[in-house]
Amino acid sequence: MRMAIATNLGFPRIGAHRELKRAVEKFWSEKISEAELQQIGRDLRETNWKLQQAAGIEQIPSNDFSFYDQVLDTTALVGAIPARFQWTGGAVDLSTYFAMARGGKGGKSVDATTAGVAALEMTKWFDTNYHYLVPEFEPAQQFQLASTKVIDEFLEAKALGIATRPVILGPVSFLLLGKSGTADFDCLSLLERLLPVYVEVLTRLSAAGATWIQIDEPCLVLDLTAEQRVAFQRAYDQLSIIPGGIKIALTTYFGPLAENLPTAVSLPIAALHIDLVRAPEQLDDVLEQLPDEVALSLGVIDGRNIWKNDFEQSLTLIEKAVDRIGADRILIGPSCSLLHTPVDLENETDLDPELRQWLAYARQKLEEIAVLTRCINAGRESVTEALTVNRDAMNARRNSPRVHRPEVKERSAAVTEPMRTRKRPYAERQLLQQEVLQLPLFPTTTIGSFPQTDEIRKARAAFKKGELTEAAYEQFLKTCIASDIEYQEEVDLDVLVHGEAERNDMVEYFGEQLEGFIATKNGWVQSYGSRCVKPPIIFGDILRKGPMTVKWTKYAQSCTKKLMKGMLTGPVTILQWSFVRDDQPRSETCQQIGLAIRDEVLDLEASGIRIIQIDEPAVREGLPLCRSDWRAYLKWAVDCFRLAAAGVEDETQIHTHMCYSEFNDIIEAIAALDADVISIETSRSNMELLDAFVQFHYPNEIGPGVYDIHSPRVPTVEWMVDLLEKALNVLGPRQLWVNPDCGLKTRKWDEVRPALQNMVAAAKTLRAKVNLTD
């Protein structure tokens, strides 16, 4: 008798101890060869496949591994290499691959002073904190099979005795996620040229012995036009006719299919995956419309958070599906790829025991999938102990006094509209701030962080291990801050920062100092490429223990007569970049964080700091995927930022920073933040993001980033002047600030020094060109 199948959509590629990060960065710095890098990749894939096999997963993914990004892998797969990378056809080599990711010459180390080729634009993967590299298309675009990675890795697993289900990004989503430099060009018009490459991939996989392929079409949960829905039909009509009869598992996630459900169930596929964590309410409609011959993959395990699954809730959904269509048509798995979760809870050796029982990382989620599948196939009595342990953990979390703090909820309930409103409108504040701050035209600053050197990381690790005393560590940090300030004065920046040497991460640092959060030691997830972050966990109501940044900011100000900028992370970003509690509305959790940041802002102001930056790069990525839900989200997101910022005097200048965000569709909400200055990413997009400000006539000041910090290339003075002059076509001279597009934490000093020198020179060049009389 056929039974329900335990499945998985993807596993973290970084390794339990971030082996991939270290290997890739060693390759870039020419400390290991390409052959050594490839071997580490094979070792990681083998470990992941065998781990899933041992856990009882029957449909194990392959090609979910990547040296940088799965969308970049698809770009290489179909040969969509922009001309500036001088690819001449054939297989895409690793040098070209990394050049698209990092700019310059790619491959190994990049000569920062001469690298001149810009990387692909980077943006957020839907509403996650993972970044993908945006494909670039042109009207004359041609495609060809230029990478056999998906086939090679299937055969690699097969040689180990493991039958996998290869994963690829679907052709329609690939085109919809791309961009073109040609105005009004519809990338989806390239579908007919692209499909033959996908047909060739499926044909080769079928010939290699693959019986299933997982095709991810996450764009099916977005608001689609009628033409876009028709494109899915055209695509899958062709993909379903493959010699050998490979079965297609169409995978959707991050939201409900909603109005796209009729399209999804009409496609010639063998299985449909739906996200029942984000959208459990869609199950009834899917069951009603699902064709009899199509299997249903139930995403009941949260692939984006670290909370232990509530088995009773999941079984209610699974059993409803089983009653309607039978266990033999059911697959049980995570809501999405487990890419977004840390690898293994067993690596958290020092975690609070009470909280530990509430958590599940990727490896534990595999075990949860296996338990639920066994429960369906062999009955509840076969997993009695697991169900009991799970029920006890759920009850302990619901009833813990550490989770629920009455005094926090009372303060949050007492928030009023005047607490979210500055005393004067921006036009009046600007005049006051100009008088107090005395800044030049086109003021220069940075976004906050300076390079986190090996010396800084080693000192922090030694302090945490008890090998360095608190006094010695503080003296070390003071030395770092003084050095950063000395450099900024030397390069002649106008508004300085303290460099954030004491901070491990812009969110984790605050999480460590707020009640209701817990930090982990090994909860690493991939953000982009080799960049990994360790999100803190919000488990309960949030309360500030005391000042978090005042001491270091005051010390920095004592080292200089120039203006010092206080650096904070905003409430929406702290929420979005943490693992968030799932037992209350996110809006309530965000407001609690907003109150904590408000206290910090007022303490900074009281200490004499007159410019305070509250970073909110996550506002755009937090948008619900369906427009109908935007208004409610933007209302509470803007309210939480304003709650954090609006308590200061009008002479205090509030900055915010947003990176890698499309602003056109939320420009009114950005303006509603009422920040005095906003800095944004524009260097990779060649100032395209400023288009949002053309029609809207944004009234406040803007710092469009002129230096792409995610690439090792050093922009020239001329490059930055050109970008700034493009900005002046949209902005007035009094509006324009000059800054990098993000913090400099991940860069090296030998890249940062010349880049900032060029940036200041560009600002001075522009001042000389612009004759402004007050």
Side-chain angles (χ1 to χ4, degrees), residues 154-188:
F154 170 78
L155 292 171
E156 188 180 311
K158 186 177 181 181
L160 295 170
I162 301 173
T164 61
R165 184 177 74 182
V167 181
I168 58 173
L169 178 61
V172 181
S173 290
F174 176 63
L175 292 174
L176 290 177
L177 292 169
K179 59 173 285 189
S180 175
T182 301
D184 301 321
F185 176 69
D186 182 4
C187 296
L188 205 53

Side-chain angles (χ1 to χ4, degrees), residues 13-74:
R13 57 182 71 123
I14 61 174
H17 303 288
R18 292 182 291 159
E19 294 92 336
L20 181 61
K21 168 188 173 64
R22 295 185 174 92
V24 168
E25 290 177 355
K26 284 182 179 178
F27 174 71
W28 288 341
S29 60
E30 302 186 76
K31 294 178 181 176
I32 63 172
S33 66
E34 180 174 338
E36 290 172 304
L37 177 64
Q38 295 286 5
Q39 184 58 53
I40 291 169
R42 284 190 289 272
D43 291 344
L44 285 169
R45 292 192 291 271
E46 179 176 354
T47 296
N48 291 348
W49 289 329
K50 289 183 175 178
L51 186 153
Q52 293 173 82
Q53 185 181 56
I57 304 300
E58 297 169 74
Q59 289 198 354
I60 298 170
S62 60
N63 198 46
D64 54 336
F65 176 87
S66 175
F67 279 124
Y68 203 96
D69 164 51
Q70 69 270 15
V71 183
L72 179 62
D73 290 350
T74 311

Side-chain angles (χ1 to χ4, degrees), residues 176-232:
L176 290 177
L177 292 169
K179 59 173 285 189
S180 175
T182 301
D184 301 321
F185 176 69
D186 182 4
C187 296
L188 205 53
S189 65
L190 299 171
L191 183 62
E192 299 305 325
R193 293 183 217 165
L194 176 63
L195 285 174
V197 180
Y198 274 78
V199 169
E200 183 176 357
V201 170
L202 268 64
T203 301
R204 289 197 184 191
L205 282 170
S206 182
T211 56
W212 280 91
I213 183 167
Q214 174 184 320
I215 304 183
D216 288 357
E217 291 282 11
C219 286
L220 272 168
V221 304
L222 303 179
D223 296 319
L224 299 178
T225 65
E227 292 78 11
Q228 289 168 339
R229 294 190 187 108
V230 168
F232 280 99

